[in-house]
Amino acid sequence: MEKLSQLIIDIGRLWEGYGNSYLRGIGNTLILALVATAIGCIIGFFFGVLNTIPVSENEHPVKRFFLGFVRVIIRLYVEVFRGTPMVLQAVFLYYGLPYITNNALRFSSIWLASIIIVSINTGAYMTESVRGGILSVDPGQTEGAKAVGMNHFQTMSAVILPQALRNIMPQIGNNFIINVKDTSVMFIIGFPDFFAAHRSATGATYLYFPSATIEMIGYFSLTLIASFLLRRLEKRMDGESSYELAAADPLVMTAGTYKHAERSRK
Amino acid sequence: MRNRENAILEVRDLRKSFGNNLVLDGIDFEVYSGDVISIIGSSGSGKSTLLRCINQLEMPGSGEIYYRGEDVLVRGVNVSEYRAQVGMVFQSFNLFYNMTVLENCIVGQVKVLGRSKEEARERSLEYLNKVGMSAFVKAKPRQISGGQQQRVAIARALAMDPDILLFDEPTSALDPETVGEVLAVMQDLAAEGMTMLVVTHEMEFAHDISSEVFFMHKGKIHERGTASELFENPGQPETIDFLRRFRTGRAF
C-alpha cells in the first residue's frame, strides 16, 4: 500500500514536470503510426496488385519479361525489409544516405526520415498481406468480372480489392498497433515519440519505474482504443445485415417446378 | 441463310489438354443467330471446358474460334471487348459479393460499355424485372437463395446486350426446388430468340428448348442433331447408353 502511494506520488511529480512532453510524445507516436500505416497500405496495395497481374503465354514476350522483372524486385523488397530489424533499417538509411552521396543528400527532417522508414517497413508486410487477401477471394469472382468484359485493372478495382480489403482489415489493424508500439525504436535517429519522452524524463529524475508505468498505461490505452475503433470500422464495412424488399418476387415457385413449354422451336 | 459468313461463332478443330489429359479433341461447330444449342454428356466429357475455352477463361491448346468472322485467339485481340459480347452464366453464379443485386448488373455496363449510371440503372431494372428479381435490388448476393442469385447472374449477363449467352450448368448447384425458376427464365429467353449455348444435365429442358443438341463424349461431339432426333432416335451406342441413365419414365 505504501509502495502504491509512493508510485502515485512519483507519477504525479513526473507528470508535473514532463506531462507536456509525454502528451506531445503520444501525439507524435499516433501521427507517425497513422501516416506510416496509411502509406504502407498504399505501397502494399500497389505492389500486391502488380504481383498478381496474370502472365499468360499468349502475352507479348517483352511484357512477360517486364512482369517477371517487377515480381523479382518486389520479392527482394519484401524479403529485405521483412528480414531485418526496423531499428537497423533506420540507422542504415538515415546515416547511409549522406555517407553514400558525400553529404549531397541527407534527410532534412527527422519526421520525413521516420515516416519513410516506417512506411517502407509496413509496406513490406502489407505487400504480403494484400497478396494473401487477393488470393483469399474466390477465383469465381475474377471469372465473373472477366465474363462481363472487365480488364485486369477494372476487375481488381471494382471486385477483387474491395473484398480483399475487407479480408485484410484485421491485418491492417495489426500493423497499425504494431506501428504504435514499434515506432518507439525511432528514438535511435532522434524521433520525439512517446518513448523518447520517457528517456528524457528519466534522464533528469531517475524515476525509471514510475515513468515506465506511465508509458505502459499510455501505450496500452492507445492500442486498446485502436482495437475498439478497428472493430467498429469492420462492422461498418460489413454493411446492413438485412435488406429492404421493393415488392414481391413473382417467379419463386413451390417445389416440383419445371413445366414443359409449348415447343416453340422445331 | 446458314452459311459460314453469317455465323456468330465458328469453332474449328478446338483442342485442349490439361497435362496429359486430352479434354477437347477436335471440336467443330457453328452458332447462328437464334440458335439454342444444348450440350449434354457425362462429367469429364469436356462440356464445361468447351464453354470456358469459347470465352477464353481457358486458353485452348490449338484450333480457331471466329466471332463474327474475326479470329479471337490470335495475339493482340482485345479479349475483354470480345467477352463483353459473349455473356456467361456460371454454375456457381459468381455474383460480386461486395455489391448489391442492382450494382452487380450496373457495374459492367458502366465500366466496360461506358454507359451512364442512369442508363445502366434503368436497363438493370428492366432485366431484373424480367427475371423476377426487381424486388431484391438492395440485397447482397449472400442474402438470397441460389436460384435467385442465378437469375440475377442472368440479368447481369443480359444487361450487357450480349450477342450470345453461354450457360455452364446453370442449375447444377441449385436446390431442386429453385431449379424451375431459373429454367423458366431461360425458356423465356429462348422463346424470344436469344442465341444460347447451354451445358446442362436437365434433359427434359434441353429437349424442350433446343434447336440442336450436341452429345459430347471423350472430348468430341460424338453425336449431334435436333432435339427430337437426338433424344428420340439416338444413333450411337454411347448416346443411347447415356440417355438411358437419364430416363425418368416420362417419354421424351
Side-chain angles (χ1 to χ4, degrees), chain A residues 30-47:
Chain A
L30 264 184
I31 293 170
L32 178 58
L34 267 175
V35 172
T37 308
I39 298 176
C41 284
I42 293 169
I43 295 174
F45 269 96
F46 185 69
F47 285 168

Side-chain angles (χ1 to χ4, degrees), chain A residues 1 13 26 41 48 62 69 71 76 79 115 150 160 186 215 220 241 256 258:
Chain A
M1 218 44 220
R13 275 175 54 203
I26 287 183
C41 284
V62 175
F69 182 70
R71 281 185 196 190
L76 268 175
E79 294 303 343
I115 286 174
M150 289 192 210
I160 306 301
M186 301 314 281
E215 295 276 318
F220 187 60
S241 59
Y258 176 61

Side-chain angles (χ1 to χ4, degrees), chain A residues 137-177:
Chain A
V137 176
D138 174 14
Q141 296 287 299
T142 307
E143 293 192 346
K146 283 185 174 167
V148 294
M150 289 192 210
N151 58 33
H152 180 69
F153 177 73
Q154 290 165 337
T155 304
M156 277 291 159
S157 63
V159 179
I160 306 301
L161 288 184
Q163 295 183 52
L165 177 68
R166 174 61 193 90
N167 288 350
I168 62 170
M169 266 317 277
Q171 298 268 18
I172 293 176
N174 243 345
N175 270 308
F176 177 66
I177 284 170

Side-chain angles (χ1 to χ4, degrees), chain A:
Chain A
M1 218 44 220
E2 209 179 295
K3 285 286 168 201
L4 188 64
S5 49
Q6 179 65 42
L7 180 61
I8 291 169
I9 291 166
D10 284 340
I11 288 177
R13 275 175 54 203
L14 272 172
W15 197 258
E16 215 171 295
Y18 299 93
N20 276 339
S21 142
Y22 283 119
L23 284 176
R24 219 175 309 126
I26 287 183
N28 290 346
T29 290
L30 264 184
I31 293 170
L32 178 58
L34 267 175
V35 172
T37 308
I39 298 176
C41 284
I42 293 169
I43 295 174
F45 269 96
F46 185 69
F47 285 168
V49 171
L50 277 184
N51 242 338
T52 50
I53 294 176
V55 188
S56 81
E57 289 164 30
N58 214 20
E59 225 80 72
H60 199 274
V62 175
K63 191 180 169 193
R64 276 166 65 188
F65 173 79
F66 182 71
L67 285 176
F69 182 70
V70 166
R71 281 185 196 190
V72 170
I73 297 290
I74 295 173
R75 187 91 232 134
L76 268 175
Y77 160 68
V78 170
E79 294 303 343
V80 168
F81 283 90
R82 207 173 50 167
T84 53
M86 188 161 74
V87 61
L88 260 179
Q89 292 162 15
V91 176
F92 188 78
L93 291 177
Y94 189 70
Y95 296 106
L97 193 63
Y99 186 92
I100 285 175
T101 60
N102 274 330
N103 284 329
L105 281 176
R106 54 168 66 241
F107 286 105
S108 55
S109 87
I110 294 291
W111 269 98
L112 183 68
S114 303
I115 286 174
I116 287 176
I117 290 156
V118 182
S119 301
I120 289 178
N121 191 279
T122 312
Y125 284 93
M126 284 306 301
T127 300
E128 283 300 274
S129 296
V130 170
R131 198 170 67 89
I134 291 173
L135 289 178
S136 75
V137 176
D138 174 14
Q141 296 287 299
T142 307
E143 293 192 346
K146 283 185 174 167
V148 294
M150 289 192 210
N151 58 33
H152 180 69
F153 177 73
Q154 290 165 337
T155 304
M156 277 291 159
S157 63
V159 179
I160 306 301
L161 288 184
Q163 295 183 52
L165 177 68
R166 174 61 193 90
N167 288 350
I168 62 170
M169 266 317 277
Q171 298 268 18
I172 293 176
N174 243 345
N175 270 308
F176 177 66
I177 284 170
I178 288 171
N179 279 344
V180 166
K181 297 180 301 172
D182 284 7
T183 45
S184 58
V185 304
M186 301 314 281
F187 78 85
I188 200 96
I189 57 170
F191 182 80
D193 78 326
F194 189 32
F195 185 64
H198 166 79
R199 287 167 58 84
S200 62
T202 53
T205 61
Y206 298 103
L207 293 168
Y208 287 101
F209 178 62
S211 178
T213 309
I214 295 179
E215 295 276 318
M216 289 288 275
I217 295 170
Y219 274 116
F220 187 60
S221 316
L222 284 184
T223 53
L224 207 61
I225 293 168
S227 306
F228 174 74
L229 291 178
L230 282 161
R231 285 284 161 90
R232 285 279 297 268
L233 183 63
E234 281 184 39
K235 275 241 171 78
R236 261 191 59 180
M237 287 175 81
D238 287 339
E240 306 259 339
S241 59
S242 63
Y243 57 90
E244 278 173 55
L245 280 182
D249 173 8
L251 268 191
V252 169
M253 294 185 271
T254 40
T257 67
Y258 176 61
K259 284 198 297 253
H260 282 272
E262 293 299 316
R263 300 216 46 203
S264 55
R265 290 163 183 278
K266 285 281 168 309

